[in-house]
Amino acid sequence: MLVKTVLLLFFVSFGACDPSVVIVGAGASGIAAAARLLKNDITNITILEAEDRIGGRVYSVPLGDGYVDLGAEWCHGEKDNIVYDMVKDLNILQHTNKFYPEIYHSKFKRLDQNFSNLLLDTFDELIGEPNKNSSIGERLIARYEEVISQWKNDPRVYALAQEAITVFEAYVIGYEGAFSWFDISDNDDYILSDGDLYLHWNGHGFKTILDLLMQKYPDASKSLPIDDKVLLNKEVHEIAWSSKQAVVKCSDSSTYVADHVIVTVSLGVLKHQHTSLFRPKLPSDKLQAIEQLGIAAVHKVLLHFPQRWWNDSYTGNCFLWNKDDAKHISFGEGPVKDGISWLTSVSVLLPVLHNPNVLEVWILGHFVPKVEQCPDEVVINGVMYLLDYFGVAVAETITRPDIIIRNNWYTNPHFRGTYSFQTPRTRHGYHSDPAILSEPLGNNREKPNLLFAGEASNPTHYSTVQGAIETGFREADRILKMYK
Ligand SMILES: Cc1cc2nc3c(=O)[nH]c(=O)nc-3n(C[C@H](O)[C@H](O)[C@H](O)COP(=O)(O)OP(=O)(O)OC[C@H]3O[C@@H](n4cnc5c(N)ncnc54)[C@H](O)[C@@H]3O)c2cc1C
Ligand SMILES: *[C@@H]1O[C@H](CO)[C@@H](O)[C@H](O)[C@H]1NC(C)=O
Ligand SMILES: *[C@@H]1O[C@H](CO)[C@@H](O)[C@H](O)[C@H]1NC(C)=O
Ligand SMILES: *[C@@H]1O[C@H](CO)[C@@H](O)[C@H](O)[C@H]1NC(C)=O
Ligand SMILES: *[C@@H]1O[C@H](CO)[C@@H](O)[C@H](O)[C@H]1NC(C)=O
């Protein structure tokens, strides 16, 4: 009798209840999906990851006094935020609340701090206003002009405020990850979580969330066997999804067969590769969603200085170029477009919490793909030039960084961008492109074999790690429901 029961259990678990699942990508969404499946006893899982590491756009590396993040860095909000819920009791996250980098001007150097702060507050206020234009750039240009016109009686202040619109655009495109604010829709479906939008990992790195998902932390004895399921350096190049089981082929000629494939690659990878990646090709509504949603890139650079040239009162700084000065930059290295150097795209320098010798630099806009290709020395020389030219510190006291770390999110074929955003085209005639992106495909309607997760497929939390994790759970739950 016992033997029979065991046999029966055996058949139940390996027959009806143990579908095979291939997950393409070991980023936050792929790891989340695997964790949810494993916790529910679906164990025939293979995670194929093209890079030589897990985490994807969560990429924490040791530098200075702790881990720094080349990818996701802040936990955005405290309510309805799955990331926050997972860590809130562990005393890891640190409050930032708001950045007040000071604005430095190419002619006037350090601007009055109150004026800097006033501009930054104005930016926030205007971004938060009800919106109805096509692109956010159109509305903000118009509204900004209206607001600063109150300073017209002080020509110097007014002229400065007018020039500062470039800082405003940098602020917006850094947040959205676009190359231009005309590429970003003026209204979108993103639902902001309440609470501190810039919770910092305090030297532990965003990778902590991966350890929590895999249950390696805080109690390693409860780890899920996810490492055993991950195959690194496995670049998937074709997914045939029309027969009963999907067939996944990798660049190294290996092949994997599975009842379900969860594709978690970035929107950028989908944009570049959908024609070769899917056999048969994707249906037209899915293709349209992929095409209409936006993804570009920011270039984040981490610099470690053997000697600090700033002190604790330094809150970081933005670089504001006067138009004429921007045309006559004497720094000769790196890309130039229409007579303007890439240096104009170095937007902000920020101190890193609990890492006293590290600063991070954000390079934004159309120069990003070219700057990614520049040698480290050019980037370091450029930043050194700016610090001196803008008078951020006394030239003699500025020291040169001894370590630089950066990642080519845009040119790396496994990412092709940093985080997705909604474009004016996405919003044309209303339908939710992320929702369309998330719809499963396959001949068997009850048990579709091609599923989509990943940040860009989240209708309300796209572009974030919390959003990515939600989509991993969503697709795992979709599979679990099929075998209930
Ligand atoms: C610079 C930067 C800053 C960011 N800042 C924040 C932040 O502060 N807060 C926040 O919440 N979010 C931030 N994000 C966004 C956040 O990192 C992402 O939304 C999230 O990590 C995406 O997870 P994912 O699983 O959807 O995609 P990914 O992490 O991209 O995972 C997909 C995986 O698929 C792999 N892959 C791609 N192609 C193939 C293939 N052909 N075969 C096999 N594997 C493949 C990739 O290597 C990758 O590991 C930032 C991102 C970047 C890049
Ligand atoms: C996992 O699934 C694959 C594909 O369906 C199958 O060939 C393999 O035997 C399964 N492995 C186990 C241990 O059940
Ligand atoms: C800046 O603002 C602070 C606080 O509002 C105020 O006390 C101070 O006088 C202002 N400084 C200048 C130079 O306006
Ligand atoms: C954009 O918004 C601004 C301010 O709300 C308005 O003045 C302007 O006419 C709008 N432009 C378009 C094209 O709708
Ligand atoms: C910090 O540095 C700034 C700029 O060099 C200087 O003005 C300020 O006095 C310094 N503050 C302290 C506390 O040393």
Side-chain angles (χ1 to χ4, degrees):
M1 192 56 200
L2 184 68
V3 174
K4 247 191 179 164
T5 314
V6 169
L7 265 180
L8 190 66
L9 279 174
F10 183 85
F11 276 108
V12 168
S13 62
F14 285 88
C17 290
D18 204 15
S20 48
V21 180
V22 162
I23 300 172
V24 183
S29 62
I31 302 278
R36 177 67 56 98
L37 290 171
L38 282 169
K39 279 190 90 160
N40 288 278
D41 303 319
I42 290 190
T43 56
N44 194 344
I45 301 175
T46 309
I47 309 175
L48 303 172
E49 169 54 54
E51 293 279 308
D52 60 4
R53 60 175 182 89
I54 66 161
R57 284 172 274 170
V58 172
Y59 192 5
S60 313
V61 295
L63 179 68
D65 283 8
Y67 281 87
V68 293
D69 280 298
L70 290 171
E73 180 165 356
W74 295 286
C75 169
H76 298 307
E78 298 166 47
K79 257 198 105 192
D80 285 326
N81 183 337
I82 208 162
V83 170
Y84 183 77
D85 288 342
M86 285 170 73
V87 282
K88 63 173 184 245
D89 299 327
L90 298 171
N91 197 19
I92 291 176
L93 292 177
Q94 185 184 358
H95 283 285
T96 306
N97 281 313
K98 188 166 163 51
F99 300 104
Y100 278 105
E102 294 190 51
I103 300 177
Y104 280 69
H105 185 276
S106 57
K107 270 202 193 354
F108 311 120
K109 313 308 169 194
R110 181 171 179 233
L111 297 186
D112 171 69
Q113 194 171 354
N114 286 3
F115 183 62
S116 273
N117 291 352
L118 176 65
L119 288 176
L120 296 183
D121 287 336
T122 305
F123 300 166
D124 277 337
E125 238 165 73
L126 293 182
I127 291 168
E129 282 184 347
N131 36 21
K132 38 187 154 358
N133 284 88
S134 171
S135 72
I136 197 168
E138 284 168 70
R139 173 174 60 94
L140 293 180
I141 288 171
R143 281 292 292 135
Y144 188 67
E145 184 53 45
E146 277 170 35
V147 168
I148 67 171
S149 65
Q150 62 182 310
W151 300 326
K152 267 190 174 150
N153 54 1
D154 186 339
R156 184 173 172 269
V157 167
Y158 179 60
L160 261 179
Q162 279 186 308
E163 288 184 332
I165 194 150
T166 56
V167 180
F168 193 9
E169 179 174 12
Y171 187 90
V172 172
I173 66 177
Y175 190 78
E176 298 278 345
F179 286 156
S180 155
W181 60 3
F182 298 116
D183 295 341
I184 307 163
S185 171
D186 192 28
N187 56 34
D188 60 47
D189 295 317
Y190 194 88
I191 299 178
L192 267 183
S193 305
D194 288 340
D196 191 341
L197 292 176
Y198 291 96
L199 291 158
H200 198 265
W201 292 84
N202 210 352
H204 298 278
F206 217 129
K207 72 168 178 56
T208 308
I209 205 68
L210 304 174
D211 292 338
L212 283 162
L213 283 169
M214 298 188 285
Q215 297 181 191
K216 289 184 177 180
Y217 182 79
D219 178 1
S221 71
K222 295 201 175 119
S223 296
L224 294 166
I226 292 183
D227 290 328
D228 309 343
K229 310 285 182 189
V230 180
L231 302 177
L232 298 175
N233 303 305
K234 282 280 183 190
E235 186 189 58
V236 169
H237 83 135
E238 190 189 288
I239 303 168
W241 56 276
S242 65
S243 14
K244 190 166 172 294
Q245 283 195 309
V247 182
V248 180
K249 288 186 188 153
C250 297
S251 309
D252 64 3
S253 302
S254 54
T255 296
Y256 300 84
V257 175
D259 298 316
H260 306 284
V261 178
I262 306 178
V263 177
T264 76
V265 303
S266 75
L267 176 68
V269 172
L270 289 175
K271 277 180 188 282
H272 270 76
Q273 249 147 276
H274 66 80
T275 35
S276 57
L277 197 55
F278 300 101
R279 292 270 174 279
K281 68 175 193 185
L282 298 175
S284 57
D285 59 341
K286 188 83 87 182
L287 292 181
Q288 199 183 351
I290 290 170
E291 199 198 321
Q292 290 184 350
L293 287 168
I295 189 164
V298 303
H299 189 48
K300 186 157 65 160
V301 179
L302 287 136
L303 298 171
H304 177 271
F305 294 79
Q307 274 106 40
R308 241 172 150 221
W309 49 263
W310 63 98
N311 60 33
D312 287 341
S313 63
Y314 179 66
T315 54
N317 73 279
C318 306
F319 298 100
L320 168 52
W321 284 95
N322 164 273
K323 271 211 173 70
D324 280 335
D325 292 344
K327 285 188 196 135
H328 300 103
I329 297 176
S330 63
F331 181 77
E333 302 170 52
V336 173
K337 192 164 178 275
D338 304 328
I340 305 283
S341 164
W342 68 278
L343 282 191
T344 55
S345 67
V346 179
S347 302
V348 66
L349 210 69
L350 292 171
V352 176
L353 287 179
H354 274 264
N355 213 331
N357 286 43
V358 175
L359 294 178
E360 71 178 68
V361 184
W362 284 62
I363 296 171
L364 304 172
H366 289 107
F367 272 113
V368 165
K370 288 231 164 84
V371 179
E372 281 190 354
Q373 301 304 300
C374 283
D376 286 346
E377 281 308 300
V378 171
V379 176
I380 293 178
N381 291 344
V383 172
M384 296 301 289
Y385 176 91
L386 289 174
L387 290 173
D388 177 31
Y389 185 90
F390 277 79
V392 177
V394 185
E396 297 74 48
T397 64
I398 302 175
T399 58
R400 199 178 165 81
D402 56 350
I403 306 172
I404 175 170
I405 313 184
R406 59 210 189 104
N407 196 46
N408 297 342
W409 297 111
Y410 194 75
T411 35
N412 184 331
H414 303 142
F415 297 98
R416 298 202 187 274
T418 48
Y419 31 97
S420 71
F421 55 89
Q422 296 191 329
T423 69
R425 289 180 62 221
T426 325
R427 314 293 296 177
H428 180 73
Y430 183 70
H431 59 273
S432 167
D433 278 334
I436 292 170
L437 198 56
S438 72
E439 279 164 19
L441 297 171
N443 288 335
N444 182 343
R445 276 181 183 278
E446 272 80 57
K447 292 187 166 65
N449 59 13
L450 183 58
L451 285 66
F452 294 85
E455 160 265 304
S457 75
N458 192 314
T460 56
H461 288 149
Y462 56 85
S463 82
T464 61
V465 177
Q466 79 208 60
I469 291 172
E470 284 174 347
T471 67
F473 286 161
R474 178 190 70 206
E475 296 311 314
D477 288 343
R478 197 191 297 279
I479 292 173
L480 291 169
K481 239 171 119 186
M482 297 176 204
Y483 296 88
K484 270 257 153 69

